[in-house]
Amino acid sequence: MPSRSEHHAIVAAVDGSPSSTAAVEWAAQDAELRHLPLHLVHVVPPAVVPAGPWPQAPVELLEALDAEGSQILHDAQTLALQATSPSRAANVTTEMLHSPIVPTLIDLSQDATMVVLGCRGTGTVETALLGSVSSGLVHYAHCPVAVIHDEDPLVARSPKAPVLVGIDGSPTSELATEIAFDEASRRRARLVALHAWSDMGPLEFPSINWAPIEWRNIKERETEVLTERLCGWQERYPDVVVEKIVVADRPAPRLLEHAHSAQLVVVGSHGRGGFPGMLLGSVSRTVVNSARIPVIVARLSRGATLPGS
């Protein structure tokens, strides 16, 4: 069974892949911003070998996997310490576990503040948008999951780019809003709060005066609703400058559009269109697959404390 040394820590899953390397660096910086420990985990899945007269093969294979895992953890810890202050050394721990990868990380997520991992690992087809491990975590984790892409170096060059959050009033959207405010405050960045109130595609008119009165009334009402949803968080985070965007369009395309100029996007795991028991909604699935910046999927945890509390 996994240990509980990662309790209330940022847990980063590492496997030595390029996106895992990017995830370690991001996780180290985010853990420092939150004043939380960082727990680096490498999971070695059970070895599967063909049946045959090779009694030493499993032992040799396990030894090789352990040696590789130790090196991966050592490299990840070195990178994490390089990405943060020297005083953080005691707050960066490592652990190698021998068990199925996805169930193990899901189990660890029960006590973690957030799980961070690359979009795809060493065993993923190069053209795949999301690997099986990251896909499993964003569907089943018990805490927020940050999926880190390694393709776009613009994030490192734009530390003051805004944090983007999608808001639709669902419970996970409320958690996403809280996470986004907390991240924006700690990063000293603007917050772009986007509310898309139509699921039918863009509704555009030559000007507001051309729009049907019903449409104008709906847009005004939705703007007021967004303001009300943000009011309490703005009082709690008065240092965060908020840009409100209300559009009559599907949320995923607009979130991806604004993600081009953001450093981080936060979405709920499933929104207003989700049904009870839904694990991942279409908006979060599209954003986590297509955005080329870090994406935090806000999953409701069991009895978890609020971000920054």
Side-chain angles (χ1 to χ4, degrees):
M1 289 293 292
S3 75
R4 288 291 171 243
S5 59
E6 76 287 350
H7 190 65
H8 295 317
I10 301 286
V11 173
V14 300
D15 63 7
S17 64
S19 63
S20 170
T21 299
V24 168
E25 186 173 13
W26 189 91
Q29 295 169 351
D30 199 68
E32 184 173 28
L33 288 173
R34 294 171 179 246
H35 307 291
L36 290 174
L38 172 64
H39 191 59
L40 304 172
V41 177
H42 177 69
V43 183
V44 180
V48 179
V49 296
W54 308 313
Q56 299 303 315
V59 175
E60 294 171 357
L61 177 60
L62 289 175
E63 289 177 348
L65 291 174
D66 281 355
E68 180 184 35
S70 296
Q71 186 62 51
I72 288 173
L73 284 172
H74 176 269
D75 292 344
Q77 186 175 37
T78 300
L79 178 62
L81 295 176
Q82 291 173 347
T84 57
S85 305
S87 60
R88 290 279 300 169
N91 293 308
V92 180
T93 57
T94 64
E95 183 176 18
M96 182 160 54
L97 300 169
H98 297 80
S99 52
I101 299 176
V102 174
T104 299
L105 294 176
I106 291 172
D107 188 54
L108 290 174
S109 75
Q110 294 186 56
D111 292 323
T113 296
M114 182 165 63
V115 174
V116 182
L117 69 168
C119 60
R120 55 181 184 264
T122 54
T124 306
V125 177
E126 186 175 352
T127 55
L129 295 173
L130 203 64
S132 59
V133 175
S134 50
S135 178
L137 265 291
V138 296
H139 278 82
Y140 296 102
H142 301 287
C143 69
V145 177
V147 179
I148 312 301
H149 297 264
D150 61 299
E151 298 94 335
D152 194 348
L154 290 177
V155 176
R157 298 202 302 267
S158 305
K160 297 306 178 185
V163 172
L164 172 66
V165 61
I167 297 176
D168 64 9
S170 63
T172 57
S173 169
E174 186 71 3
L175 177 59
T177 305
E178 182 175 13
I179 293 171
F181 265 97
D182 188 67
E183 290 282 352
S185 176
R186 295 178 187 277
R187 295 167 185 269
R188 300 180 180 178
R190 287 187 302 118
L191 177 65
V192 176
L194 186 145
H195 174 53
W197 55 266
S198 171
D199 293 320
M200 299 182 296
L203 299 176
E204 301 291 350
F205 301 94
S207 71
I208 190 66
N209 293 328
W210 281 66
I213 186 64
E214 293 84 358
W215 184 89
R216 282 179 277 167
N217 290 341
I218 292 174
K219 185 173 183 179
E220 291 173 0
R221 184 185 66 200
E222 293 296 327
T223 301
E224 292 175 358
V225 169
L226 177 60
T227 299
E228 291 174 359
R229 287 172 181 158
L230 294 174
C231 184
W233 297 115
Q234 287 182 283
E235 291 178 359
R236 181 171 175 178
Y237 295 93
D239 58 314
V240 176
V241 176
V242 181
E243 177 185 353
K244 304 167 189 171
I245 299 177
V246 178
V247 294
D249 195 1
R250 295 183 301 271
R254 292 303 183 100
L255 284 168
L256 292 174
E257 174 188 334
H258 287 278
H260 287 300
S261 57
Q263 64 169 296
L264 169 68
V265 57
V266 188
V267 293
S269 58
H270 50 276
R272 60 176 180 245
F275 52 83
M278 176 178 282
L279 298 173
L280 195 68
S282 60
V283 174
S284 49
R285 182 171 56 249
T286 299
V287 172
V288 80
N289 272 296
S290 303
R292 289 300 172 261
I293 61 172
V295 179
I296 296 179
V297 178
R299 296 197 58 83
L300 291 172
S301 53
R302 302 176 190 172
T305 57
L306 299 178
S309 62

